[in-house]
Amino acid sequence: MKYFLTHVIEPDGSWPEDTEQRLDDWVAEMDHRGVLLAGAPLRSDVAPTAVRRTDTTVSVSDGPFAETKEQVAGFDLIEAADLDEAIAVAGAHPTLGNGAIEIRPVIPGMPTPVPREPRADRERYLMLVCWDQTGDAEITEQGRPGDEPRPMDDWIAYAGERRLHGWQLQPPAFATTVRRVDGAVAITDGPFAETKEQIGGYDLLEVTDLDEAVAIATAHGSDLIDLRRCAAEVPSQVGDGAATA
Amino acid sequence: MSRPDDLVAPVFAEEWGRLVAGLIGWCGDWELAEEAAQEAFARAVEVWPRNGVPTTPAAWLTTVARNAVRDRLRRRGTEAAKLALIAATSDDEPAPPSGFPDERLRLIFTCAHPALPMPGRVALTLRTLCGLSVVEIARAFLVTESTMDKRLVRARAKIRAAAIPYRVPPAELLPERIDGVLAVLYLLFNEGYSASSGDELLRVDLSTEAIRLARLLHRMMPEPEVTGLLALLLLTDARRSARTEHGEIVPLAEQDRSRWDRAAVDEGRGLLADLSGPPGAYEVQARIALEHDRARAAAQTDWAAIARLYELLPATPVVELNRAVAIAEAYDVQLALGMVDQLEPELAGYHLFHATRADLAARTGDLTGAIAALDEAIRLAPTGPERRLLARRRAALTAE
């Protein structure tokens, strides 16, 4: 089972000296165990870009999709046997003392390009597809969104090789957020912040510049897309098949 | 011929949770398991009065319920259902005999998983383990049936969508997960215990369900904290019938102690006697309850022992408030009043803070202060019976 982890941190948190080292250790450990399929920290020095669409207009603006106290700082895509394993993986992450990790199950069935090495001459952007998910309309006993055909084929063809991978996520009602409180991992139901718009899916783009990312986001057709520049190389083993270490 | 209910009800109470737990383990679908269990009992109500109760009711119910699962999967007919059907038909071993290993343990832990919202955990526990209907649970929590149904649907859907494992947690997770289970049972008990008495007839007895589940857990997993919680519930519940009179709350000191349930007290005492080692929070609270229960009259309460027990609990404001009450009784009212005053910033919105302060102030002779505190307590009291109890105290003070 795949889970999408959203890392959020306190913007003015103080970090122990060895955080960087412990981050590297966590990545190495999870990669070795075959848990980590993809992931990257996001550039904190580059503001996110929001692409909003109404019936008639598309507007591009500076700023995150939602004003929250904690800021989205990175993501990971992991493969875990069940939620308890996902919680253990998130619980071991070194940034947890200064923020939270939201764990969201991925809806299977999204077509994924053949994994390939990242291109050195391109930038990677994390594209968060957001919408208002306040209604619980999607949660029914029989509702298994993964069983339904997806109308995104045209967009996926348009994005082509520039889309490294991406998944639709189970609704925020199925999110679990992990924090560290007094040295122990605290588990709560729900997303990291109760905002009106919530992340509903993501795609990782490899493009020349922000304009190209905005063009792909605009073509997506969603009401609200949040683009964030990634800071580092990412492993990429994200197909529907088993992860290979 | 016996009435169907007389034949089936005792088996329902004993077997529902076990049946559902086994079915979930077998087919992996919570809703389907519940529906099939329901259908099996409906068949029992039809068939047993005619043919008699089968020699092994559990096996009979399991067979009928598994067939119901297969029927439903066949009718659904989607790819996913077909796969599940293959899995379900390849495993045709006879139903497991009653007793260990008890599948209900897996069910208890999964219902109380920390990734589920607390109201969902409680509702799921009552539905799947106790077999209460959605209507009964909705009434118990004073919400509409559709609200409660949504809560259950959502909890079950999250278990499936987020792949919450159906299992007893491994050793390294067990201590914290047991705490989570106990928190659900404790909440359930308190919800039942503090329920206002007005609509009692309509509400299922949540305290009794909580004790039943705590007993079950204790039988399967006699960890010290489980023992402590069961003792706490029994020792508190022992006073229940003396706790209200015509819908009015009777304070501990004024209760008719002959109405306390001595068997429950003895059972709780026996459980505590088996415990050694550093006491957990539930055990300490149970020992405090026992100090009250064993006093033949309010005046014989060993308040010094109670004050010492409160020192063993984490010093939260509410624990400190209770410790102050014990200190006032055992040692010194002025000292206690000083302790209580220091808690004001944290407890200013808590009616029992003001009620306690009123009581202590009155005993030092400060009637004006006592009446002002009682007024504040009355303003903040959450239920009618509590407000009326405080109003009676106020009336008694002004009459002096």
Side-chain angles (χ1 to χ4, degrees):
Chain A
M1 176 117 191
K2 288 182 180 60
Y3 296 89
F4 183 76
L5 309 187
T6 310
H7 300 262
V8 297
I9 57 168
E10 302 276 351
D12 44 8
S14 67
W15 297 94
E17 290 268 326
D18 61 345
T19 302
E20 202 112 328
Q21 182 57 48
R22 285 164 61 222
L23 262 168
D24 290 346
D25 293 348
W26 183 89
V27 170
E29 162 73 15
M30 296 311 161
D31 195 26
H32 176 72
R33 278 161 52 180
V35 167
L36 190 61
L37 304 181
L42 302 173
R43 292 271 297 259
S44 58
D45 57 333
V46 183
T49 303
V51 180
R52 281 169 210 277
R53 168 188 286 275
T54 66
D55 287 342
T56 50
T57 61
V58 174
S59 69
V60 179
S61 63
D62 184 65
F65 73 95
E67 291 296 339
T68 53
K69 190 162 81 54
E70 295 162 311
Q71 308 287 319
V72 178
F75 78 97
D76 285 297
L77 183 72
I78 65 166
E79 178 79 43
D82 54 39
L83 185 62
D84 276 352
E85 190 187 357
I87 289 170
V89 168
H93 198 271
T95 62
L96 209 55
N98 254 332
I101 297 176
E102 180 184 321
I103 304 171
R104 200 88 80 77
V106 157
I107 297 175
M110 198 73 167
T112 305
V114 180
R116 59 177 171 80
E117 290 300 307
R119 286 176 58 172
D121 59 342
R122 294 284 190 277
E123 297 294 337
R124 272 165 301 284
Y125 281 85
L126 175 66
M127 174 176 135
L128 297 172
V129 182
C130 308
W131 65 87
D132 182 351
Q133 301 185 46
T134 39
D136 267 358
E138 293 177 60
I139 302 158
T140 60
E141 289 285 3
Q142 258 67 39
R144 290 161 210 249
D147 293 345
E148 292 145 26
R150 201 165 300 279
M152 294 305 300
D153 294 349
D154 290 349
W155 179 79
I156 285 170
Y158 166 72
E161 286 230 318
R162 297 175 297 179
R163 173 177 167 271
L164 293 177
H165 52 84
W167 301 92
Q168 197 184 340
L169 306 182
Q170 295 279 9
F174 300 149
T176 301
T177 297
V178 175
R179 290 187 158 80
R180 189 180 295 282
V181 180
D182 300 330
V185 173
I187 302 160
T188 50
D189 173 63
F192 75 92
E194 293 294 338
T195 53
K196 180 161 153 278
E197 272 117 0
Q198 293 279 346
I199 300 168
Y202 84 94
D203 289 279
L204 190 66
L205 306 180
E206 193 178 63
V207 290
T208 315
D209 53 28
L210 179 63
D211 281 352
E212 191 178 1
V214 168
I216 295 173
T218 306
H220 189 275
S222 285
D223 292 349
L224 174 58
I225 285 177
D226 191 81
L227 289 166
R228 317 228 173 187
R229 197 163 150 199
C230 298
E233 300 300 302
V234 286
S236 180
Q237 298 151 6
V238 291
D240 252 340
T244 48
Chain B
M1 203 161 94
S2 313
R3 285 174 46 232
D5 280 359
D6 294 342
L7 289 177
V8 179
V11 179
F12 184 90
E14 190 53 39
E15 297 295 340
W16 169 272
R18 209 195 307 267
L19 179 63
V20 173
L23 288 169
I24 294 172
W26 180 67
C27 75
D29 185 324
W30 287 58
E31 202 204 9
L32 198 54
E34 277 175 34
E35 284 173 8
Q38 193 114 37
E39 194 172 316
F41 275 103
R43 282 283 305 284
V45 169
E46 243 172 73
V47 174
W48 292 4
R50 224 168 39 230
N51 302 353
V53 178
T55 27
T56 49
W60 188 95
L61 288 163
T62 301
T63 305
V64 174
R66 283 187 179 185
N67 284 334
V69 168
R70 289 193 191 99
D71 283 350
R72 275 153 207 264
L73 284 176
R74 223 169 264 133
R75 280 202 301 267
R76 271 190 205 169
T78 62
E79 279 307 306
K82 270 181 212 151
L83 283 176
L85 185 63
I86 291 162
T89 37
S90 65
D91 177 14
D92 255 334
E93 77 213 38
S98 321
F100 290 89
D102 197 321
E103 297 238 33
R104 283 177 293 184
L105 206 48
R106 296 207 270 173
L107 190 50
I108 288 177
F109 277 100
T110 308
C111 286
H113 196 280
L116 295 172
M118 191 49 131
R121 287 183 229 173
V122 170
L124 210 53
T125 301
L126 289 170
R127 176 76 195 111
T128 57
L129 270 159
C130 306
L132 299 193
S133 69
V134 178
V135 178
E136 286 172 318
I137 305 168
R139 256 185 216 149
F141 288 92
L142 308 175
V143 298
T144 65
E145 190 185 342
S146 94
T147 300
M148 186 50 75
D149 195 49
K150 255 189 226 144
R151 210 176 272 180
L152 282 162
V153 165
R154 185 179 153 153
R156 282 189 295 248
K158 178 159 184 186
I159 289 173
R160 186 183 58 230
I164 291 177
Y166 184 55
R167 62 167 185 190
V168 176
E172 72 272 14
L173 289 178
L174 206 50
E176 55 168 299
R177 293 293 166 85
I178 287 180
D179 285 352
V181 171
L182 298 180
V184 168
L185 300 187
Y186 187 57
L187 188 146
L188 208 53
F189 178 83
N190 282 331
E191 187 67 32
Y193 196 71
S194 59
S196 59
S197 41
D199 47 6
E200 215 164 65
L201 287 177
L202 286 174
R203 300 180 69 177
V204 291
D205 190 340
L206 294 180
S207 301
T208 304
E209 293 296 341
I211 290 174
R212 201 158 78 86
L213 289 168
R215 267 190 216 284
L216 177 67
L217 185 62
H218 179 252
R219 211 161 51 228
M220 296 187 289
M221 199 170 252
E223 303 282 325
E225 270 301 73
V226 179
T227 309
L229 180 79
L230 177 57
L232 171 60
L233 302 192
L234 288 167
L235 291 167
T236 308
D237 200 55
R239 298 194 291 264
R240 179 147 55 139
S241 63
R243 198 172 160 266
T244 53
E245 188 94 54
H246 309 301
E248 299 299 329
I249 296 174
V250 184
L252 188 57
E254 296 161 28
Q255 287 174 15
D256 175 359
R257 294 181 181 226
S258 70
R259 285 169 63 190
W260 289 0
D261 180 350
R262 284 292 139 196
V265 174
D266 289 342
E267 191 186 349
R269 192 203 312 261
L271 288 166
L272 290 177
D274 290 341
L275 291 175
S276 56
Y282 292 120
E283 181 189 339
V284 172
Q285 292 177 74
R287 290 190 187 282
I288 291 167
L290 180 60
E291 284 301 332
H292 291 297
D293 289 351
R294 70 191 192 88
R296 292 187 182 284
Q300 288 174 23
T301 309
D302 186 348
W303 286 103
I306 292 175
R308 281 193 303 276
L309 284 164
Y310 274 116
E311 279 175 28
L312 299 176
L313 291 172
T316 64
V318 172
V319 165
E320 285 299 283
L321 183 68
N322 284 310
R323 195 165 72 86
V325 171
I327 282 172
E329 298 291 345
Y331 306 110
D332 187 291
V333 177
Q334 278 298 350
L335 180 66
L337 199 54
M339 283 175 67
V340 168
D341 281 341
Q342 283 183 5
L343 298 170
E344 172 141 33
E346 288 141 306
L347 294 181
Y350 182 45
H351 67 292
L352 291 181
F353 165 78
H354 299 283
T356 304
R357 187 189 225 176
D359 181 51
L360 298 178
R363 286 161 65 176
T364 62
D366 173 15
L367 276 189
T368 322
I371 286 167
L374 269 177
D375 284 337
E376 187 64 7
I378 291 165
R379 196 178 66 79
L380 293 167
T383 67
E386 283 177 288
R387 256 192 308 278
R388 292 197 294 275
L389 172 67
L390 293 165
R392 286 197 298 279
R393 278 202 198 149
R394 191 186 187 286
L397 274 187
T398 45
E400 272 175 28

